Amino acid sequence: MKIDTGATAWLLTATAMVLLMTPGLAFFYGGMTRAKSVLNMMMMSFGSIVTVTVLWVLYGYSVAFTDGSFADGFAGGLGAVGLRGVATQVSEGLLPDQSDNVPTMVFSAFQLTFAIITVALISGAVADRARFGAWTVFSVAWATLVYFPVAHWVWGTGWLNDLGIEDFAGGTVVHVNAGAAGLALALVLGRRRGWPKEPMRPHNLPFVLLGVGLLWFGWFGFNAGSELAVDGTTGLAFMNTQVAAAVAAGAWLLVERFRDGHATTLGVASGAVAGLVAVTPAAGFVDPWACVVLGAVAGVACAYAVGLKYRLGFDDSLDVVGVHLVGGAIGALSLGLLAAYPALPGQHKGLLYGGGVHQLGLQALGPAVVGLYSFGMAWIIGKAIDRTIGFRLAGEDEATGVDVTTHAETAYDLAPAGGGATRAPLLGTAADPERKAAADRKGGADRKGGAEREANAERKVEADA
C-alpha cells in the first residue's frame, strides 16, 4: 500500500506531542506534592518512560496489536516480539479509501506514548509514600498484565472491540484503566502520615500550571492523532479537545466560587485536565456543541468527585480517581448519548441522535469491565510487592522526605537565613559521608568554642563583681 506522507508527518508530530505529556505530567504532579517529595514524584513519571519503552519493544506492541494468540480475544500474539518485521508493515487509518496509510512503526511509536503516560498517571495516587524500586516493579507487572491486554481488548482484535465498544483515544484504555489501578494502590499502601488532619498543600503552583499547559498542548496530538489520518475527523477531534478543556476549566472554577468563595489556580488546572480526560473517548465522534455539555458535566462532576476521598477515607494523593476514573467514565458513557459521527457516516449513533440503548449499554460495559479488571490486578500486584520487597516507605523515611531518603537529593538548594553560601542538598546524608563527618567535626568544634566563650564571660562577670 502507498504511504500517505502527510498523514505520516502528522502522526510523527502527534507522537512527539504525546511523549511530551509525560514530562508535563511530572511537572503537574510534582507541583501538587510537598517540597520534600517533588523529585520522587517526577521520577516516577520519567521512570515510566524507561520501563514501558523497553517492555513495548520486547513484547508490549505484539501483545496489544497483533493476532495469533491461543486466547486472541484476551491478548495478541507474539509475532512481533522485538518489533520484528514491523518496519516493513503499513497500517490503515480509519478511512483507508482516502489513502491515509502510515508506516506501522510510526503507529507503534504513537501507541507507545499512550502506554507510557497511562502507567505514569497511576503514580499520583501514591505520592509521598511509595518506594521507587517497588513502583518500578509494579509498573512492569501492571503494564504487562493489564495495559497491554486491555489495549488489545478495545483497540486490537479483542472481545470488547468485537462487541462494538467505542473509545476514540483512550477514555477507557487510558483513564479508567489508570484511575482504577490508582484506587487499588491507594488502598494497598494506606494513608500518608498525618492525612487528612495535617495540611498537605501543593508546594509549587507555577509547576502545576506549567504541567497542565504541556498536557493541554500534547493532548491535541493525543486526540487528533488518534484518527491516524489528516481529514475531517482529525480537525473535529482537535476542536473538540479545546472546547471540552476550556468549558470544564470554567465549570470547575464556578464550583469553587460558589462552594468555597474563591476560584483557584489549582482548580483551573484540574478542571482543564478533567475536560481533556472526558473528551478523549469522544473527540472524533461528537459535535462541538456536545463538548460544551460534556466539558460542563465533567468539570462539575470531577470537582465534587475529588472530595469523595475525605468522605470515604482513601488517600488518593493527587486525585487520580476523582479526575481520571470519573472523567474517563463520563466520557465513555457520553458516546451512548451524544455520538453523532459527523465525519464517519454509517456508525451507530447515540441515544439523542436516534440510536437505541444498545450502544449506551456497551459504553457502560467497557469502563465497568476494564475498571474492575484493572482494580483487581493492581490490588493483587500491589499486595504481592508489599509482602515481598515492601511497597511503602518506612515511617521515618516518609517523615524525612522520599527525595532525600531514596534519591539522596533535594529539589531546592536554599541559602541559609543569614545569607552567605548555599547549603549542600546532600549534607548529612549517607550519599556524602565525608562532608557529613566534616560537618560533625565543625559542629563539635563550634559547640566547644561556644561553651568556652560562655565560661570566660561568666568568670569575667564574677571578677568584676
Side-chain angles (χ1 to χ4, degrees), residues 24 28 207-217 268-270 272-273 276:
F28 182 64
F207 268 19
V208 174
L209 294 176
L210 172 62
V212 80
L214 293 172
L215 285 168
W216 199 329
F217 171 77
V268 75
S270 299
V273 173
L276 291 164

Side-chain angles (χ1 to χ4, degrees), residues 8-369:
T8 301
W10 161 239
L11 192 58
L12 285 168
T13 303
T15 300
M17 293 169 69
V18 180
L19 181 60
L20 181 65
M21 291 173 68
T22 299
L25 182 71
F27 275 105
F28 182 64
Y29 277 175
M32 291 173 68
T33 61
R34 290 173 288 179
K36 63 182 181 180
S37 303
V38 54
L39 294 179
N40 175 259
M41 192 72 259
M42 300 180 81
M43 275 285 286
M44 292 168 87
S45 289
F46 279 89
S48 300
I49 297 176
V50 175
T51 55
V52 178
T53 298
V54 174
L55 297 179
W56 189 258
V57 172
L58 293 180
Y59 56 81
Y61 170 76
S62 190
V63 170
F65 289 103
T66 66
D67 303 327
S69 169
F70 65 91
D72 182 57
F74 180 81
L78 298 177
V81 168
L83 296 182
R84 183 179 56 203
V86 174
T88 59
Q89 298 173 6
V90 177
S91 297
E92 295 181 346
L94 295 183
L95 296 175
D97 57 322
Q98 296 184 5
S99 299
D100 50 356
N101 302 311
V102 298
T104 300
M105 190 65 78
V106 178
F107 169 75
S108 177
F110 182 63
Q111 288 296 333
L112 163 61
T113 60
F114 280 63
I116 288 170
I117 197 168
T118 305
V119 173
L121 285 172
I122 303 170
S123 65
V126 293
D128 295 330
R129 59 198 189 278
R131 296 177 59 234
F132 184 70
W135 162 255
T136 302
V137 174
F138 174 85
S139 66
V140 170
W142 188 85
T144 301
L145 299 175
V146 181
Y147 183 83
F148 301 153
V150 167
H152 183 76
W153 296 358
V154 179
W155 288 335
T157 57
W159 67 281
L160 288 178
N161 182 283
D162 291 341
L163 287 176
I165 288 173
E166 296 283 10
D167 186 2
F168 185 76
T172 298
V173 176
V174 175
H175 299 291
V176 170
N177 208 2
L183 175 59
L185 278 194
L187 295 175
V188 169
L189 268 68
R191 303 176 180 184
R192 288 168 288 180
R193 291 168 57 93
W195 186 91
K197 295 180 180 180
E198 296 179 9
M200 298 182 181
R201 300 184 182 91
H203 90 283
N204 194 325
L205 287 170
F207 268 19
V208 174
L209 294 176
L210 172 62
V212 80
L214 293 172
L215 285 168
W216 199 329
F217 171 77
W219 226 294
F220 290 110
F222 197 90
N223 286 349
S226 292
E227 168 67 350
L228 307 183
V230 180
D231 55 25
T233 299
T234 310
L236 179 68
F238 198 101
M239 176 59 77
N240 284 344
T241 300
Q242 173 64 22
V243 172
V247 173
W252 192 299
L253 290 179
L254 288 174
V255 170
E256 287 190 329
R257 181 67 181 84
F258 288 105
R259 183 187 62 188
D260 309 323
H262 47 261
T264 67
T265 53
L266 180 61
V268 75
S270 299
V273 173
L276 291 164
V277 169
V279 77
T280 293
F285 299 148
V286 300
D287 288 311
W289 75 263
C291 287
V292 175
V293 177
L294 180 56
V297 171
V300 173
C302 293
Y304 282 104
V306 297
L308 290 176
K309 63 184 181 182
Y310 297 104
R311 294 183 181 181
L312 300 178
F314 63 91
D315 185 9
D316 172 20
S317 308
L318 307 184
D319 303 323
V320 178
V321 177
V323 174
H324 294 277
L325 179 58
V326 173
I330 289 172
L333 285 171
S334 73
L335 284 173
L337 298 170
L338 301 172
Y341 301 98
L344 293 169
Q347 302 292 322
H348 297 293
K349 295 186 180 297
L351 195 62
L352 298 183
Y353 281 86
V357 297
H358 178 70
Q359 192 64 34
L360 179 61
L362 288 178
Q363 295 307 126
L365 176 65
V369 170

